[in-house]
Amino acid sequence: MLYSYYRLDQAVAAGAEYAALNAANVNATQGAALATAIATAVESANGTAWANDTVVMNDGPSETVSNGKAMSGGTAANANDYYCLTGSPPNWSWGTGYTSQQSCGGGAGKFVTVTASYNYVPLLKIYGFLVNTTLKQNAAIQVQ
């Protein structure tokens, strides 16, 4: 189970790194394509349809992959705004979108959130200790 959790953690870290390297694409025109690319990287980091995940570009374009099937959503225009992301994973709160980073005490920025899960099924169930469970991992990356 720990090994599976580590693999899920590494998949989310790879998605976070991809977001950071492509920070300039967190905008209304390129955000949806970036969300799709990150979700695909996380979902297939350890094999096709390995994990389920959701990527949100700055409270705008999003991509959700569940059981190997992708679904896009969100409002592209929101990716141009700056937000003061609050809360804790996976229940982040975007709040109000601002036109500059100076809002909310200079802490506004552009963020990418990655939420992933993996359904762990042990090979052997020993003494009821190892049971089917859903492992979860989250990341919020401030890219600007």
Side-chain angles (χ1 to χ4, degrees):
M1 185 167 69
L2 290 174
Y3 179 69
S4 294
Y5 185 76
Y6 171 75
R7 290 173 55 196
L8 183 62
D9 182 59
Q10 291 303 309
V12 170
E17 184 176 357
Y18 193 94
L21 292 172
N22 292 280
N25 295 336
V26 179
N27 57 51
T29 56
Q30 298 169 315
L34 181 57
T36 299
I38 294 169
T40 300
V42 172
E43 177 259 343
S44 60
N46 294 295
T48 303
W50 181 80
N52 297 320
D53 62 284
T54 299
V55 175
V56 180
M57 292 285 127
N58 212 35
D59 197 27
S62 65
E63 186 78 12
T64 299
V65 179
S66 180
N67 298 318
K69 296 181 181 177
M71 183 173 65
S72 299
T75 304
N78 289 358
N80 288 331
D81 290 338
Y82 295 90
Y83 293 89
C84 298
L85 189 67
T86 60
S88 58
N91 300 313
W92 289 291
S93 176
W94 292 95
T96 303
Y98 298 98
T99 57
S100 75
Q101 289 180 291
Q102 300 308 312
S103 304
C104 61
K110 290 190 175 186
F111 294 87
V112 175
T113 61
V114 180
T115 304
S117 65
Y118 172 72
N119 295 321
Y120 173 75
V121 179
L123 293 175
L124 300 170
K125 295 180 182 179
I126 303 170
Y127 304 112
F129 175 69
L130 294 175
V131 296
N132 296 6
T133 189
T134 301
L135 305 174
K136 298 178 182 176
Q137 188 60 264
N138 309 282
I141 308 94
Q142 185 170 358
V143 295
Q144 291 181 26

